Amino acid sequence: MPTSSNYFHLHLVSDSTGETLITVARAVAAQYANVTAVEHVYPLVRSQKQLDRVLDEIEESPGIVLFTLLEKDLVSRLEGKCKEINIPSLSIIGPVMQLFEAYLGAATTGRVGAQHVLNAEYFQRIDALNYTMIHDDGQHVEGLEEADVVLVGVSRTSKTPTSIYLANRGIRTANVPLVPGIPLPHQLETLKKPLVVSLHATPERLIQVRQNRLLTMGDRDNETYIDKQAVADEVAFARRLSAKFNWVLLDVTRRSIEETAAAIMKLYADRQRARPLE
């Protein structure tokens, strides 16, 4: 790639959904702030005909090729084409599979998309998603005790997206907004089973996020929503409630949704491990 370029083509070829490839590729690409990856994602590539179309696009826009293919003929053809046009290619799961085989002393089954089978874990995620959608934003508080995790926090602390992310990991998550002047649902005050996590951020960060929200909605008249003192009072109100009910405090000021969810999953796992000792 010419050193003057500020972008490059990134081809992601998968015989399944491509989620693994996308996650790995973006994690690495994020480390290069001065260059942008132009993603070409090819999911469900399972035949020579499908691969032919992929190879045509790769040849038209050369770049880095990452793949998760299990069919050896497809792998051989893809690698051969990349070598022919002199571009790099790498199997993301190949080295890991070799490590497993060496350690376990057994060959892989070669099942395409094996991680997406309709097993108990899959249906647990579906159940969690259904529960989370029903119990979003303080709805149906009578069912809060059935949650694994309950998120609380003032407006724009990313309660809903974090809840959905956790649900995708099979964790039944409800969320309840904390609003000064509005009484808490009594169910929230007496929870025994769920882990209650209070999400908070600095007033400055909340004001920034809320201003962007108002601009998006075209609402320029809601001054209280972004008033510095009012927002600071909201943050203090949420902290007092957290201390009163002994909720876990989690600062999300500089956390992405993924980082917030990872911290909550660790808290939840630690709590589950500790429970038999109680």
Side-chain angles (χ1 to χ4, degrees):
M1 185 184 77
T3 55
S4 60
S5 297
N6 58 3
Y7 72 93
F8 68 99
H9 294 282
L10 179 60
H11 299 272
L12 308 175
V13 189
S14 175
D15 52 20
S16 188
T17 62
E19 292 176 20
T20 302
L21 271 175
I22 293 169
T23 300
V24 172
R26 289 180 180 174
V28 177
Q31 301 301 313
Y32 297 87
N34 297 323
V35 65
T36 301
V38 179
E39 292 183 0
H40 305 260
V41 184
Y42 314 97
L44 304 174
V45 177
R46 299 177 180 178
S47 70
Q48 294 286 354
K49 186 176 181 180
Q50 290 169 327
L51 183 60
D52 284 341
R53 291 195 290 268
V54 173
L55 296 179
D56 288 341
E57 289 200 35
I58 291 174
E59 189 167 14
E60 183 178 335
S61 305
I64 294 174
V65 177
L66 302 179
F67 62 91
T68 51
L69 299 174
L70 294 179
E71 175 58 52
K72 291 182 179 179
D73 289 343
L74 296 181
V75 172
S76 177
R77 189 133 180 272
L78 176 60
E79 290 180 329
K81 183 65 173 181
C82 291
K83 188 174 181 179
E84 176 189 325
I85 61 177
N86 196 29
I87 61 172
S89 66
L90 179 68
S91 170
I92 296 301
I93 61 172
V96 181
M97 289 174 60
Q98 291 172 10
L99 179 65
F100 272 55
E101 288 181 12
Y103 184 78
L104 299 174
T108 63
T109 61
R111 285 189 299 150
V112 172
Q115 72 272 37
H116 300 297
V117 295
L118 304 184
N119 55 15
E121 182 182 349
Y122 173 85
F123 289 108
Q124 180 182 344
R125 293 203 311 273
I126 296 300
D127 174 69
L129 276 167
N130 287 334
Y131 176 88
T132 295
M133 297 306 293
I134 291 171
H135 295 84
D136 179 43
D137 199 30
Q139 300 181 78
H140 301 287
V141 291
E142 67 278 0
L144 288 180
E145 191 64 47
E146 301 168 13
D148 297 317
V149 171
V150 176
L151 304 181
V152 298
V154 301
S155 174
R156 312 323 295 174
T157 47
S158 301
K159 296 183 297 298
T160 293
T162 303
S163 296
I164 294 172
Y165 191 101
L166 290 169
N168 269 296
R169 297 298 184 272
I171 298 176
R172 291 160 64 94
T173 309
N175 74 80
V176 180
L178 302 180
V179 184
I182 297 181
L184 284 181
H186 68 86
Q187 294 90 343
L188 186 59
E189 301 178 12
T190 58
L191 292 177
K192 296 281 191 293
K193 172 180 168 286
L195 169 68
V196 183
V197 180
S198 179
L199 306 182
H200 67 101
T202 63
E204 293 77 15
R205 176 57 176 165
L206 288 173
I207 290 170
Q208 180 186 34
V209 175
R210 290 180 180 189
Q211 285 175 330
N212 291 335
R213 173 68 171 170
L214 292 179
L215 285 173
T216 301
M217 296 174 63
D219 183 355
R220 300 179 182 274
D221 301 322
N222 200 341
E223 293 297 326
T224 304
Y225 191 56
I226 55 175
D227 178 76
K228 187 174 182 179
Q229 186 57 54
V231 175
D233 290 343
E234 282 187 65
V235 172
F237 166 74
R239 284 182 172 276
R240 287 195 300 271
L241 285 178
S242 300
K244 178 180 179 180
F245 295 107
N246 200 30
W247 296 331
V248 177
L249 273 172
L250 185 61
D251 188 348
V252 300
T253 302
R254 291 181 173 83
R255 294 180 192 261
S256 66
I257 301 300
E258 293 84 357
E259 289 169 328
T260 298
I264 293 169
M265 286 188 284
K266 184 179 186 305
L267 289 168
Y268 178 69
D270 290 346
R271 188 171 188 260
Q272 293 299 98
R273 282 194 295 268
R275 277 195 159 179
L277 304 177
E278 294 177 353

